[in-house]
Amino acid sequence: MNDAFRYENGTLVCEQVDLASIGETYGTPAYVYSSSAIRARFRAYQSAFSDLSCRICYSVKANSNLSVLRLLAEEGSGFDIVSGGELYRVLKAGGDGRTVVFSGVGKAASEIRFALAEGIHSFNCESESEIETISGIANSLGRTASIAIRVNPDVDAITHPYISTGLREHKFGVSINAAEALYHRAAQLPSLLPDGVSCHIGSQLLDLDPLVEAADKALRLIDRLRSQGIPIRNLDLGGGLGVPYRSSERAISIETFAKKLRPKLAKADVTLTLEPGRSIVAEAGVLLTRVLLVKTNGQKTFVVVDGAMNDLIRPALYQAHHEIVPVIQPGGEGLIHADIVGPICETGDFFARGRDMAPVEPGELLAIRTAGAYGFVLASNYNSRPRPCELLVDGRRVAIARRREKYDDLTRSE
Ligand code: LLP
């Protein structure tokens, strides 16, 4: 259990607020985030890389709540976006467009125009067609677009196949060989400044070696490009540092990551960009849910809760493991073996299968841990379920970062 979420006198608390009272006051299901945990993770990146020329661009897709973005903007974070909508959120949260890097395999002309108008720092480009489009739009607006080409270093990130991106067969980036020709093409196009190399090999990485291998390959490419007269100044290594979803897992330490990169980067004289998402917000959040009922079918016990796959889809989509803990610490010793499921009409609607847990009664609160990243952002209204509220705790204060949706919200746009 990290510092932000811990038991005090038998009750799970977030910072200085107990989650039982949060459940009473704001209802369930509810996402609860700790400001101090988010700040601490961001600062860990900042301090580990403080002696290098480095910009930390929080990856908005992990958790795009305006209050979270505002908090990170205040900490001095830049932002990694993948859509015009994310840029809109960054600006609305008070973020500075000039700190933004725009990633993604397909950007619409309207999104490129928006990004150029806001003077973003750079585009991470993934195809020849894309750089031609950006050049055309930048030229028509009288702007110069700084671009990096996202190379696919062909390393195995050793993570879930849906979130691994750095192999040759994936849709992302261009091969290192093809990239060289693309840089020369970009250098000839008007209104483009090809001054960066970017890569991102996958998410939830628990092993540092693939990241270092990708960095080495990117640095060798930078050397070659420089010797061919293309003055690369920026290296963007993407995001990807994993978090321990199980107590048996060990995250890559940010300090060790920095230590491995330091000598390489110093020698290469580049500015580093990192795009961490999950490693900043995942552990800072829980999804609070209430037990509706407990039923048995034959041999199996099901704990049915009021949260569901529409609120947190990671278990259903990636077979992801999330620790699930009672808000009030159980008194007894015995365990039940149960599936923890939501009310949605899908067999895939589960948070945990075959979990050993303390017996629970209807009305009890459970906290689904490590839900601050890729939780609410992936929520939907499936089964016409209003999406949960998001609460941001700061010390003793609880702010409603997003109110719970009402039935009216479900039909508002129809
Ligand atoms: N940069 C790029 C280009 C990315 O594609 C991603 C994540 C990131 C940065 C941030 O990666 P992070 O530091 O969060 O690992 N929904 C999945 C994760 C999808 C990740 C997509 N790209 C999940 O819930 O596990």
Side-chain angles (χ1 to χ4, degrees):
M1 203 144 301
N2 63 30
D3 279 339
F5 292 93
R6 63 196 187 280
Y7 286 105
E8 263 179 24
N9 305 321
T11 303
L12 191 62
V13 301
C14 173
E15 302 198 19
Q16 292 166 50
V17 187
D18 80 83
L19 290 176
S21 69
I22 288 191
E24 284 310 316
T25 311
Y26 301 96
T28 52
Y31 277 97
V32 184
Y33 310 128
S34 156
S35 314
S36 70
I38 298 173
R39 272 190 214 106
R41 295 295 291 175
F42 179 77
R43 289 177 189 173
Y45 270 99
Q46 261 190 333
S47 83
F49 289 93
S50 59
D51 58 337
L52 288 170
S53 169
C54 176
R55 63 177 77 84
I56 315 289
C57 294
Y58 167 69
S59 192
V60 173
K61 65 173 82 63
N63 183 328
S64 57
N65 185 284
L66 290 180
S67 303
V68 171
L69 299 181
R70 187 171 307 122
L71 186 161
L72 286 164
E74 282 165 7
E75 287 292 308
S77 184
F79 297 95
D80 161 51
I81 61 159
V82 286
S83 70
E86 287 190 346
L87 178 55
Y88 174 79
R89 281 184 172 276
V90 166
L91 299 172
K92 190 140 185 157
D96 182 344
R98 291 168 304 179
T99 68
V100 166
V101 294
F102 194 167
S103 307
V105 73
K107 304 173 184 73
S110 57
E111 294 177 312
I112 295 168
R113 225 172 277 125
F114 180 20
L116 283 168
E118 292 300 331
I120 67 159
H121 176 261
S122 135
F123 292 87
N124 288 336
C125 302
E126 305 208 17
S127 63
E128 179 165 7
S129 161
E130 182 186 342
I131 60 174
E132 286 168 356
T133 306
I134 295 175
S135 161
I137 297 173
N139 201 30
S140 70
L141 294 176
R143 302 235 171 194
T144 299
S146 159
I147 65 158
I149 290 172
R150 175 169 174 183
V151 296
N152 190 329
D154 198 28
V155 297
D156 187 353
I158 322 171
T159 183
H160 189 281
Y162 285 10
I163 52 177
S164 169
T165 50
L167 282 176
R168 206 175 315 164
E169 70 244 36
H170 295 139
K171 73 175 175 184
F172 299 100
V174 299
S175 74
I176 293 219
N177 289 340
E180 281 193 45
L182 257 191
Y183 276 99
H184 288 283
R185 172 90 182 107
Q188 286 160 0
L189 288 170
S191 307
L192 285 189
L193 184 63
D195 61 355
V197 168
S198 80
C199 70
H200 168 84
I201 59 170
S203 196
Q204 184 50 18
L205 310 180
L206 295 175
D207 184 352
L208 190 52
D209 293 346
L211 272 168
V212 174
E213 190 187 335
D216 283 336
K217 288 189 172 181
L219 286 166
R220 284 202 290 275
L221 173 65
I222 291 177
D223 269 350
R224 287 199 298 280
L225 291 170
R226 283 176 172 169
S227 71
Q228 295 160 19
I230 301 197
I232 302 291
R233 294 182 308 161
N234 300 310
L235 170 62
D236 182 339
L237 288 179
L241 261 57
V243 299
Y245 284 97
R246 302 169 192 265
S247 48
S248 61
E249 287 173 339
R250 283 285 157 273
I252 299 171
S253 111
I254 297 173
E255 288 74 23
T256 311
F257 183 37
K259 204 161 130 194
K260 285 253 169 157
L261 291 180
R262 192 166 290 123
K264 300 174 192 285
L265 294 173
K267 208 163 94 213
D269 187 25
V270 286
T271 297
L272 176 68
T273 298
L274 295 174
E275 304 171 356
R278 187 190 319 260
S279 52
I280 293 202
V281 288
E283 292 170 278
V286 300
L287 176 61
L288 198 59
T289 186
R290 205 177 276 282
V291 177
L292 294 176
L293 57 104
V294 181
K295 67 180 267 183
T296 50
N297 272 355
Q299 298 295 318
K300 285 199 79 164
T301 301
F302 295 92
V303 173
V304 184
V305 297
D306 64 359
M309 67 188 281
N310 75 296
D311 303 307
L312 175 66
I313 202 173
R314 300 195 71 259
L317 193 56
Y318 313 111
Q319 300 78 47
H321 178 97
H322 285 259
E323 292 291 326
I324 302 177
V325 298
V327 167
I328 306 293
Q329 264 180 327
E333 290 282 289
L335 292 179
I336 57 168
H337 189 70
D339 285 11
I340 303 173
V341 302
I344 283 184
C345 303
E346 299 253 0
T347 305
D349 179 26
F350 61 87
F351 289 128
R353 285 185 151 160
R355 197 64 71 87
D356 290 322
M357 60 187 289
V360 285
E361 299 286 335
E364 275 184 47
L365 287 170
L366 299 176
I368 305 177
R369 311 266 341 253
T370 329
Y374 305 109
F376 186 89
V377 285
L378 278 159
S380 77
N381 292 119
Y382 187 40
N383 278 205
S384 288
R385 290 168 50 87
R387 283 179 295 174
C389 58
E390 294 176 280
L391 307 166
L392 186 63
V393 175
D394 197 350
R396 285 178 206 291
R397 270 194 59 228
V398 183
I400 301 178
R402 189 182 213 274
R403 67 163 172 79
R404 180 180 305 288
E405 287 181 343
K406 303 194 237 160
Y407 287 148
D408 183 37
D409 294 313
L410 296 176
T411 52
R412 191 184 296 285
S413 313
E414 294 174 23

